[in-house]
Amino acid sequence: MDIDLTAAYDRCRELHRRHGRTYYLATRLLPAWKRRHVHALYGFTRYADEIVDRTEDLPPAERAARLDDWAGRFLAGLHGEPVDDPLLPAVLHTIAVFDLDRDDFASFLKSMAMDLTVTSYRTYDALLDYMEGSAAVIGTMMLPILGSSDPAAAREPARQLGFAFQLTNFIRDVGEDLDRGRTYLPDEDLAAFGVTRDDLLAARDRGAGTEAIRELIRYEVRRAQAHYVAAADGITLLDPASQACMRTAYALYGGILDEVAGQDHDVFVRRATVPQRRRMSVAARSLLTPTGTPVVVPGPDLAGPLAEADAVPAPRPVGG
């Protein structure tokens, strides 16, 4: 690789190391030649997210113009034009090496643009449409890099894992998203539990949720766990060299939900994180687990019967 391309991969790796601690740890279990490509995808998605979320002081039109400009440079690079950017050469190289689906990247950029204007989602189906671009396509982008014995069968679990990871982030980061003027908990769910946006803002300000908010979060945790269940079989369909990485990511993101449950589903008392000692233990255990071993599905809450009012709809499949 030339110096500029090496520097672009290094930039992506640094963004990943700094901002994606859980996934970065898991990625260290991949073969070295695969890591840089995962870093490139993370760098691409993180930089777009930074344009959207770290420029709140700018007028909406200027924020949109910055995203459009960066997306335009990316699309020009896809068509073979020279790209003057510190990280885009890495993702363009990764796309070329694995012949990644360009439509996935267009879908991702569309969802990032939605974050500039959409502040809430009325229904879960509406949120799923957003997450199709912001989460599910990340799974399908990753799949060719991770490799699979049956890519067609692994595709839907990869999408479901994208949903599961993003819902986990939404649950953990309710307060941070409110700071940005957004809620990713569907309006219909808030209404079902008698919670308003003002209630969430008040809970954020005092650092403690109400009983109704905790029940709402418990419901969303169950919904996320359902996506983890739908994703579980996909781990053993990956190339043997990739299974320890994704087994670790699966367990650690699911562990965030365990931490949420452990604080009585009150996401306002503190930011739920998996302790470092447990993180390292999970990584070591994943590395020692024989390939092909089914993953341990998170969510003891799903083991028992659900009340009718607390029932969680099954995850939506491709084309659903």
Side-chain angles (χ1 to χ4, degrees), residues 85 148 183 262:
D85 187 89
S148 173
T183 53

Side-chain angles (χ1 to χ4, degrees), residues 139-254:
T140 55
M141 289 175 191
M142 282 286 299
L143 192 54
I145 299 172
L146 296 173
S148 173
S149 59
D150 189 344
R155 178 178 171 82
E156 182 58 19
R159 292 178 68 257
Q160 293 296 335
L161 195 57
F163 287 139
F165 285 176
Q166 180 141 74
L167 281 172
T168 298
N169 287 339
F170 287 163
I171 291 165
R172 178 193 62 195
D173 297 336
V174 173
E176 293 179 25
D177 291 328
L178 285 168
D179 291 342
R180 299 185 179 108
R182 302 188 208 121
T183 53
Y184 291 104
L185 307 183
D187 294 341
E188 64 181 3
D189 293 354
L190 269 67
F193 287 90
V195 174
T196 67
R197 189 186 181 102
D198 285 343
D199 293 334
L200 295 176
L201 289 167
R204 178 202 63 185
D205 292 343
R206 68 173 173 267
T210 62
E211 181 178 354
I213 292 174
R214 292 196 302 273
E215 287 302 308
L216 166 66
I217 296 300
R218 179 172 178 268
Y219 175 83
E220 302 300 347
V221 165
R222 288 188 170 197
R223 173 173 269 155
Q225 288 168 344
H227 286 287
Y228 281 100
V229 170
D233 290 344
I235 304 297
T236 56
L237 293 174
L238 298 177
D239 282 353
S242 297
Q243 289 186 24
C245 165
M246 294 313 298
R247 190 183 301 275
T248 298
Y250 186 100
L252 291 181
Y253 272 93

Side-chain angles (χ1 to χ4, degrees), residues 130-143:
Y130 164 79
M131 292 197 300
E132 183 66 37
S134 64
V137 298
I138 307 300
T140 55
M141 289 175 191
M142 282 286 299
L143 192 54

Side-chain angles (χ1 to χ4, degrees), residues 3-23:
I3 294 174
D4 288 343
L5 187 55
T6 300
Y9 273 112
D10 287 344
R11 175 70 181 274
C12 291
R13 180 183 59 80
E14 179 58 22
L15 280 173
H16 198 175
R17 185 192 67 79
R18 188 186 317 156
H19 297 290
R21 293 192 313 149
T22 295
Y23 200 28

